[in-house]
């Protein structure tokens, strides 16, 4: 039985969600900002050293500032979408300036792209490229369990993670939301807000309608 725990500390909206997945292989999805709080929560479920990968849905500061601390505590390898690597370390692209902080510095151990499969044992994630919220955002979909880790592309209750860019990126965002909204999803694990398993299809359809209103 695969376990998923939301392990980020604090409830404030400037903290991206951090998910601990314990399958045959244990991984984290995203790193939040406050590594110490996440580590404390992780230790309730597993020895942090057993975590093999930290998979980042995108480069934004509220999802990556915790990487150095989590990498040190776990020894895990860091994976991120190929199209996102160039924005790491950039205070505008990562949005770290919004927190009056420097972007996190860490080494990327591997990149992910459309069509990649991450096999954890019972679960096997398909990597979906979902540009828009950021140029190289990815989502992770598990087709057997019908579970989606959407990053900030789709958020619960008809929300989406807005793009700070315009023009083509807005079109890309609508396409990416449309793609995720078309998936068969029982449980949505978003980059912000709480995971949800209630009428997820309907929530995602609302996100798509909302996305289409952005110009
Ligand atoms: Zn974001």
């Amino acid at each position: 039985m695969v376990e998923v725990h939301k392990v980020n500390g604090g409830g404030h909206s400037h903290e991206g969600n951090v998910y601990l997945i314990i399958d045959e292989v244990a991984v984290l999805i995203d790193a939040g900002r406050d590594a110490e709080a996440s580590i404390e929560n992780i230790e309730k479920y597993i020895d942090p050293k057993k975590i093999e990968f930290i998979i980042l849905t995108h480069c934004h500061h509220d999802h990556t500032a915790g990487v150095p601390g989590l990498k040190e505590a776990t020894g895990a390898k860091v994976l991120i979408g190929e199209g996102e690597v160039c924005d790491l370390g950039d205070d505008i692209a990562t949005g770290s300036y919004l927190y009056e902080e420097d972007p996190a510095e860490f080494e990327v151990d591997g990149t992910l792209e459309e069509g990649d499969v991450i096999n954890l044992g019972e679960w096997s994630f398909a990597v979906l490229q979902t540009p828009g919220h950021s140029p190289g955002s990815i989502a992770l979909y598990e087709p057997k369990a019908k579970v989606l880790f959407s990053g900030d592309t789709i958020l619960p209750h008809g929300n989406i993670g807005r793009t700070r860019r315009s023009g083509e990126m807005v079109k890309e965002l609508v396409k990416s939301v449309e793609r995720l909204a078309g998936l068969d999803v029982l449980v949505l694990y978003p980059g912000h807000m709480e995971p949800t398993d209630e009428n997820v299809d309907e929530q995602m359809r609302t996100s798509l309608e909302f996305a289409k209103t952005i110009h």
Side-chain angles (χ1 to χ4, degrees):
M1 188 68 191
V2 180
E3 288 175 44
V4 182
H5 305 282
K6 183 162 120 31
V7 293
N8 47 293
H12 47 96
S13 60
H14 294 307
E15 182 73 34
N17 287 339
V18 182
Y19 294 106
L20 166 65
I21 304 176
I22 307 176
D23 195 339
E24 281 166 36
V25 175
V27 299
L28 295 177
I29 311 278
D30 280 336
R33 280 174 71 209
D34 186 348
E36 246 173 73
S38 297
I39 292 161
E40 228 171 81
N41 289 328
I42 289 165
E43 283 171 339
K44 293 176 194 164
Y45 306 106
I46 191 173
D47 173 0
K49 297 272 179 228
K50 295 205 165 125
I51 295 169
E52 294 188 32
F53 297 100
I54 300 169
I55 304 165
L56 302 170
T57 60
H58 62 299
C59 74
H60 287 164
H61 195 63
D62 50 342
H63 298 256
T64 56
V67 171
L70 286 173
K71 203 171 179 183
E72 199 189 316
T74 60
K77 291 189 165 71
V78 174
L79 308 177
I80 190 167
E82 196 172 18
E84 204 71 347
V85 176
C86 59
D87 282 340
L88 287 169
D90 183 311
D91 59 341
I92 302 293
T94 62
S96 72
Y97 72 101
L98 297 167
Y99 307 90
E100 297 181 344
E101 290 174 3
D102 289 328
E105 279 180 37
F106 56 87
E107 218 172 287
V108 171
D109 300 291
T111 56
L112 299 167
E113 58 186 324
E114 182 70 35
D116 282 349
V117 172
I118 302 170
N119 189 358
L120 303 182
E122 194 178 323
W123 280 8
S124 205
F125 281 119
V127 174
L128 310 179
Q129 253 164 242
T130 51
H133 176 69
S134 70
S137 278
I138 58 165
L140 301 167
Y141 180 57
E142 212 300 320
K144 291 190 303 283
K146 298 181 179 166
V147 158
L148 175 67
F149 290 79
S150 58
D152 284 358
T153 301
I154 281 191
L155 300 172
H157 310 300
N159 287 288
I160 57 168
R162 301 283 291 258
T163 178
R164 291 196 211 106
R165 309 189 188 202
S166 55
E168 279 305 306
M169 282 299 275
V170 176
K171 280 188 204 154
E172 293 285 314
L173 176 64
V174 176
K175 262 196 254 168
S176 293
V177 172
E178 189 157 31
R179 182 175 184 202
L180 296 186
L183 296 171
D184 189 4
V185 178
L186 290 176
V187 191
L188 175 68
Y189 293 96
H192 294 274
M193 305 168 69
E194 293 300 313
T196 177
D197 60 0
E198 284 172 33
N199 300 320
V200 176
D201 290 354
E202 197 182 313
Q203 293 190 45
M204 295 201 300
R205 271 199 304 276
T206 311
S207 294
L208 177 59
E209 279 169 36
F210 178 39
K212 283 178 175 169
T213 66
I214 300 174
H215 296 287

